[in-house]
């Protein structure tokens, strides 16, 4: 019996336990998991955790890569030039043009009050401050006493009277410095921050250079009146009429450049905001009936500018102080032929320079030339106005162009009235300054009219691009 016990024990261990347990207890017991299945589940859980961590890492890397690309594209966009310039740039340009308009008028007042030759030195930096002590005023007055203007005109002047004309010229120069700084510094900022198109950036650099050149021309003009070798001995000291005309012409060009650049930005943005209306405007301006009128306005711009230059010669020669009547000049519509072509003004023995020197240096002929140019300008504008109101041109001309033409008629009528009044009353300061302001206002009107009759090719391309993009979205 003892020999059978070990075998019976081994057999009992190998028998299943289910026959010894009731079925109800079997149903209540949780199912047992084989050791191999437990290992597999553990491995699966570890693998899923590993895959989850790997997936989250990959997603984070993708997000960071997308953020880096977005940042890089934003930086590239900042470095890229825009298609259109900022509206704030347009307002700044128009404000700068208004400042130039003001300094032109104030410069006329400075010349008419005989204040332009009161400062006998050019100090672009240190000259920004006026004399601060009595000793400084005495030193400046001593320099002025050495000038021909003091010796021939103002020998009775004391320091208190000198201060009045000094401050006029000092204010004019300080205003010029302000225009230069208020234009050059924003130009650097707008170009560095890519707030302007490449084309406008070149224009801004050109205007900045022109402002600096204008300062040089101003001193070059004043210097001509500080010596007596440019005018006849004993005559009224004055600056060279050629240099005065160059100084005024540069100011007018600078003003026109600023104005047109600002107006172009505003118009471009307005057209891009409504491509449908812009397309209609382009179609209207392409009408062949408008082409002759557009060319006539361009020629009118040249005529107005030429008349302004002739007015500068009149001012430089004080030619407005003779023949103070209109429309006659003395006994007839023109002075005698011998007075108009006086041999006194020729420099060459063969007389080859007789005609052009009389036209530019003879006060009688210079005033006659200005009268002829002014009358021609007035008649031309009236003829253009009549042409714009008749025939095919009236039907094809846009509404804003018709209003611009009417504005030019009003401006030229006012300017003619101011010119005749200035002549008859022998150039009082108020009327003469108003006449100079009127010339710039008339040029402004003609420039605005020409601006409304043209659309730059770059603007046309941008509008067509917007129209195509809108068509694709639809």
């Amino acid at each position: 019996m003892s020999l059978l016990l070990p075998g019976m024990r081994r057999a009992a261990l190998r028998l299943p336990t289910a026959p010894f347990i009731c079925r109800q207890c079997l149903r209540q017991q949780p199912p047992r998991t084989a050791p191999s299945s437990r290992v597999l589940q553990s491995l699966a859980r570890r693998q899923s955790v590993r895959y989850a961590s790997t997936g989250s890492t990959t997603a984070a890397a993708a997000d960071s890569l997308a953020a880096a690309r977005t940042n890089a594209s934003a930086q590239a966009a900042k470095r890229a030039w825009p298609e259109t310039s900022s509206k704030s740039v347009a307002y700044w340009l128009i404000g700068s043009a208004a400042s130039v308009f003001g300094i032109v008028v104030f410069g006329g007042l400075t010349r008419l009050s005989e204040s332009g030759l009161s400062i006998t030195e050019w100090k672009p930096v240190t000259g920004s401050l006026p004399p601060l002590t009595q000793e400084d005023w005495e030193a400046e007055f001593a320099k002025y006493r050495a000038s021909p203007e003091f010796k021939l005109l103002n020998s009775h002047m004391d320091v208190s009277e000198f201060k009045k004309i000094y401050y006029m010229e000092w204010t004019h120069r300080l205003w010029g410095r302000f225009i230069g700084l208020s234009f050059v510094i924003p130009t650097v900022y707008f170009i560095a921050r890519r707030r302007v198109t490449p084309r406008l950036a070149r224009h801004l650099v050109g205007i900045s250079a022109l402002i600096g050149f204008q300062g040089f021309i101003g001193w070059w003009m004043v210097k001509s009146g500080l010596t007596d070798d440019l005018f006849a001995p004993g005559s009224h000291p004055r600056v060279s009429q050629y240099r005065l005309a160059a100084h005024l012409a540069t100011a007018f060009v600078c003003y026109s450049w600023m104005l047109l650049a600002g107006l172009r930005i505003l118009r471009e943005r307005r057209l891009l905001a409504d491509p449908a209306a812009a397309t209609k405007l382009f179609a209207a301006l392409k009408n062949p009936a408008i082409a002759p009128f557009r060319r006539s306005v361009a020629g009118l711009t040249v005529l107005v500018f030429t008349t302004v230059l002739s007015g500068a010669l009149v001012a430089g020669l004080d030619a407005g102080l003779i023949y103070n009547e209109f429309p006659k000049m003395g006994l007839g519509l023109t002075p005698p032929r011998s007075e108009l072509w006086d041999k006194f003004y020729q420099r060459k023995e063969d007389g080859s320079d007789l005609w052009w020197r009389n036209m530019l240096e003879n006060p009688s002929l210079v005033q006659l030339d200005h009268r002829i140019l002014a009358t021609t300008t007035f008649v031309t504008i009236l003829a253009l106005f009549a042409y714009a109101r008749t025939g095919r041109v009236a039907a094809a001309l846009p509404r804003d162009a018709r209003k611009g033409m009417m504005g030019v008629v009003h401006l030229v009528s006012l300017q003619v009235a101011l010119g005749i009044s200035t002549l008859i009353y022998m150039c009082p300061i108020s009327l003469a300054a108003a006449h100079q302001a009127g010339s710039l206002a008339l040029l402004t009107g003609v420039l605005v009219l020409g601006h409304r009759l043209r659309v730059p090719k770059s603007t046309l391309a941008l509008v067509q691009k917007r129209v195509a993009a809108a068509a694709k979205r639809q």
Side-chain angles (χ1 to χ4, degrees):
M1 191 67 181
S2 59
L3 295 173
L4 297 174
L5 286 174
M8 295 174 64
R9 289 175 181 171
R10 287 193 294 270
L13 291 174
R14 293 177 181 177
L15 291 174
T17 58
F20 303 96
I21 304 174
C22 65
R23 294 182 179 180
Q24 186 175 0
C25 294
L26 282 175
R27 294 191 191 101
Q28 294 177 355
Q29 287 182 354
R32 293 186 178 182
T33 305
S36 59
S37 63
R38 292 177 183 174
V39 174
L40 291 176
Q41 289 181 1
S42 176
L43 291 175
R45 283 195 299 270
R46 292 179 182 178
Q47 193 172 7
S48 63
V49 171
R50 186 181 303 139
Y51 287 159
S53 62
T54 305
S56 62
T57 305
T58 305
D63 292 341
S64 61
L65 181 60
R69 289 178 178 175
T70 303
N71 189 22
S73 61
Q75 294 294 331
K78 288 182 179 180
R79 291 192 297 268
W81 295 97
E83 289 184 343
T84 58
S85 300
S86 173
K87 187 181 292 186
S88 59
V89 177
Y91 293 141
W92 162 69
L93 282 168
I94 295 175
S96 299
S99 186
V100 174
F101 191 107
I103 198 174
V104 167
V105 178
F106 191 82
L109 291 172
T110 303
R111 179 185 58 81
L112 291 167
S113 61
E114 305 288 351
S115 304
L117 300 177
S118 57
I119 301 179
T120 59
E121 294 178 335
W122 189 43
K123 298 178 180 179
V125 179
T126 58
S128 301
L129 293 176
L132 301 177
T133 63
Q134 187 62 28
E135 290 76 10
D136 294 338
W137 279 112
E138 292 293 343
E140 288 295 328
F141 188 44
K143 297 174 185 177
Y144 178 68
R145 286 199 300 267
S147 67
E149 185 178 71
F150 177 85
K151 296 176 180 178
L152 296 175
L153 293 180
N154 298 327
S155 58
H156 62 280
M157 183 176 288
D158 55 14
V159 177
S160 61
E161 294 174 326
F162 170 70
K163 288 181 180 181
K164 296 178 182 179
I165 63 173
Y166 185 95
Y167 274 123
M168 283 287 293
E169 174 65 12
W170 176 80
T171 303
H172 182 64
R173 295 191 184 191
L174 185 65
W175 196 339
R177 292 183 178 95
F178 170 76
I179 291 175
L181 291 177
S182 64
F183 195 90
V184 173
I185 295 176
T187 292
V188 175
Y189 172 79
F190 286 134
I191 294 177
R193 296 298 300 271
R194 298 296 192 268
R195 301 286 295 276
V196 296
T197 61
R199 182 181 182 279
L200 183 60
R202 293 191 292 270
H203 281 262
L204 295 182
V205 173
I207 296 174
S208 300
L210 186 62
I211 292 174
F213 184 62
Q214 172 71 334
F216 168 76
I217 292 180
W219 167 245
W220 181 58
M221 177 193 68
V222 170
K223 189 177 180 180
S224 66
L226 299 177
T227 56
D228 54 2
D229 55 347
L230 293 179
F231 44 86
S235 63
H236 190 290
R238 61 171 67 96
V239 299
S240 167
Q241 73 273 19
Y242 300 113
R243 301 185 188 186
L244 176 63
H247 189 51
L248 186 66
T250 306
F252 273 50
V253 170
C254 187
Y255 167 82
S256 304
W257 203 346
M258 292 176 179
L259 178 68
L260 291 179
L263 292 177
R264 176 174 176 173
I265 296 173
L266 293 179
R267 190 187 193 197
E268 186 176 84
R269 296 183 70 89
R270 186 171 61 253
L271 293 176
L272 291 176
D274 191 357
T279 304
K280 293 180 181 179
L281 177 63
F282 298 157
L285 292 178
K286 287 182 179 178
N287 193 317
I290 300 180
F293 182 77
R294 184 186 298 113
R295 290 192 295 267
S296 300
V297 172
L300 177 62
T301 306
V302 177
L303 179 60
V304 171
F305 190 79
T306 305
T307 306
V308 169
L309 293 184
S310 72
L313 295 177
V314 171
L317 294 171
D318 289 332
L321 299 177
I322 60 176
Y323 293 113
N324 301 106
E325 52 201 349
F326 189 86
K328 290 187 175 183
M329 296 181 70
L331 299 178
L333 293 177
T334 65
R337 181 182 178 87
S338 59
E339 182 180 345
L340 294 178
W341 306 104
D342 195 343
K343 293 183 179 180
F344 171 79
Y345 296 98
Q346 71 180 36
R347 298 290 184 272
K348 296 181 179 180
E349 295 181 358
D350 58 356
S352 58
D353 60 343
L354 175 66
W355 66 274
W356 69 265
R357 284 194 177 274
N358 274 278
M359 291 184 66
L360 300 177
E361 298 178 3
N362 184 346
S364 299
L365 186 54
V366 166
Q367 187 191 123
L368 177 62
D369 292 339
H370 187 61
R371 289 188 182 208
I372 294 173
L373 286 170
T375 304
T376 304
T377 301
F378 180 67
V379 173
T380 302
I381 291 176
L382 293 182
L384 272 179
F385 176 72
Y387 178 65
R389 297 282 168 166
T390 58
R392 297 168 54 197
V393 180
L397 204 62
R399 182 171 178 270
D400 60 346
R402 292 197 301 268
K403 292 173 63 178
M405 188 69 245
M406 177 62 75
V408 171
V409 172
H410 292 162
L411 288 171
V412 75
S413 301
L414 177 63
Q415 178 68 348
V416 168
L418 286 172
I420 295 175
S421 301
T422 303
L423 180 67
I424 292 175
Y425 290 100
M426 300 185 64
C427 300
I429 293 179
S430 57
L431 284 176
H435 186 51
Q436 182 165 321
S439 65
L440 190 51
L442 177 59
L443 180 62
T444 303
V446 176
L447 290 174
V448 171
L449 176 60
H451 169 74
R452 293 177 177 178
L453 293 171
R454 287 179 174 81
V455 176
K457 294 182 179 179
S458 58
T459 303
L460 179 61
L462 284 175
V463 172
Q464 291 175 346
K465 184 178 178 181
R466 293 286 178 88
V467 172
K472 288 181 179 180
R473 286 195 299 268
Q474 294 177 356

